[in-house]
């Protein structure tokens, strides 16, 4: 399996999980309930400082899921123990369309034209990986099959266990973005998003949602999980847009 980062200790994982539990559920919004974002969300500065410390030690590839352990889909039975065999329950739903929701099962996705692209990726914890090759289905190929309303300005992406992230529509529909299941010639492992993750290489990698399960087209912006809790709404690595105020 492809490995993006170091091996973590139990203490690393438990440290971040402890931080997350301190503001759950009070500061977790229900991802199914639309929220119009008009001002900076209220955040706990001390909590954010503590979270940044744990987040930096953990590394973004391990904590951009919901539990911080990277094992959410396995625990829910989404994948089998070998980390490769998808359950028949996996699907990807597009909502907020001009018509009914569109649901794609994993077999549907794998049957689409496959694209392989090479790009650099950048983590908010200040590391980059150059010349990374991702393989999957281009986001624009999905979009060409959907009735995307002209009023859509943003998307809100959802993943296992309620994790969310936001993107402007033009950033979501860039030609280099992928729904990927392979990196550098190897299948993703569970920790890094198997069976499917989004790849948005021009932004910090927390926007590249692992275990992605839904994309909702919206006529407004809406902060996702990290954006509600101190992270930048956009996340441009070249502008170092990590936290509020950057």
């Amino acid at each position: 399996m492809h490995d993006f980062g170091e091996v973590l200790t139990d203490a690393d994982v438990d440290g971040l999980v402890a931080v997350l539990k301190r503001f759950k559920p009070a500061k977790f919004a229900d991802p199914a309930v639309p929220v119009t974002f008009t001002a900076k969300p209220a955040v706990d500065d001390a909590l954010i400082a503590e979270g940044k410390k744990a987040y930096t030690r953990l590394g973004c590839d391990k904590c951009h899921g919901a539990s911080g352990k990277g094992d959410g889909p396995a625990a829910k039975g989404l994948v089998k123990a070998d980390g490769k065999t998808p359950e028949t329950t996996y699907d990807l739903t597009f909502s907020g369309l001009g018509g009914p929701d569109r649901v794609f099962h994993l077999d549907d996705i794998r049957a689409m034209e496959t694209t392989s692209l090479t790009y650099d990726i950048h983590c908010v914890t200040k590391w980059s990986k150059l010349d990374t090759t991702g393989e999957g289905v281009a986001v624009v190929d999905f979009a060409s099959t959907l009735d995307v309303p002209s009023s859509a300005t943003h998307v809100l992406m959802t993943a296992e266990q309620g994790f969310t992230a936001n993107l402007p529509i033009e950033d979501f529909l860039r030609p280099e973005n992928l729904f990927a299941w392979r990196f550098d010639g190897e299948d993703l492992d569970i920790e890094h998003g198997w069976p499917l993750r989004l790849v948005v290489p021009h932004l910090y990698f927390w926007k590249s949602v692992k275990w992605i399960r839904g994309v909702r087209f919206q006529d407004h912006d809406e902060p996702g999980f990290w954006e509600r809790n101190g992270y930048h709404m956009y996340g441009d690595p070249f502008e170092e847009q990590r936290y509020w105020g950057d």
Side-chain angles (χ1 to χ4, degrees), residues 42-226:
V43 296
D44 181 331
D45 290 339
L47 177 63
I48 293 302
E50 185 177 350
K52 287 179 184 178
K53 186 184 299 183
Y55 187 83
T56 299
R57 173 68 187 114
L58 193 63
C60 71
D61 286 306
K62 302 290 185 179
C63 65
H64 288 333
S67 71
K69 294 186 178 181
D71 60 358
K76 294 184 67 176
L78 178 62
V79 295
K80 295 186 182 297
D82 63 5
K84 287 186 175 181
T85 308
E87 296 283 6
T88 57
T89 55
Y90 180 84
D91 54 43
L92 175 63
T93 300
F94 292 86
S95 59
L97 302 170
D101 294 353
R102 293 285 305 279
V103 180
F104 294 82
H105 297 285
L106 196 59
D107 288 344
D108 302 327
I109 298 169
R110 291 295 191 93
M112 297 178 71
E113 181 179 356
T114 301
T115 299
S116 180
L117 296 172
T118 300
Y119 34 61
D120 304 337
I121 57 176
H122 309 282
C123 181
V124 71
T125 54
K126 301 185 179 181
W127 61 258
S128 294
K129 184 175 177 62
L130 307 182
D131 297 327
T132 296
T133 299
E135 185 177 338
V137 177
V139 170
V140 292
D141 288 343
F142 261 107
S144 68
T145 71
L146 304 173
D147 182 14
V148 179
S150 59
S151 59
T153 60
H154 293 80
V155 296
L156 186 71
M157 302 161 292
T158 60
E160 285 297 315
Q161 299 176 318
F163 177 80
T164 58
N166 64 325
L167 282 175
I169 189 74
E170 60 268 22
D171 291 277
F172 177 68
L173 295 177
R174 285 172 64 120
E176 69 269 27
N177 295 349
L178 290 176
F179 289 105
W181 57 82
R182 289 174 64 84
F183 270 87
D184 289 346
E186 297 182 9
D187 288 345
L188 288 168
D189 58 21
I190 297 174
E191 290 182 344
H192 298 120
W194 181 270
L196 196 70
R197 77 172 298 162
L198 181 67
V199 180
V200 183
H202 71 290
L203 298 178
Y204 277 127
F205 222 41
W206 88 78
K207 298 289 189 176
S208 295
V209 176
K210 298 189 296 186
W211 316 311
I212 188 164
R213 298 299 300 270
V215 176
R216 187 170 73 212
F217 294 93
Q218 305 185 151
D219 61 2
H220 61 276
D221 200 0
E222 180 177 338
F225 174 89
W226 288 112

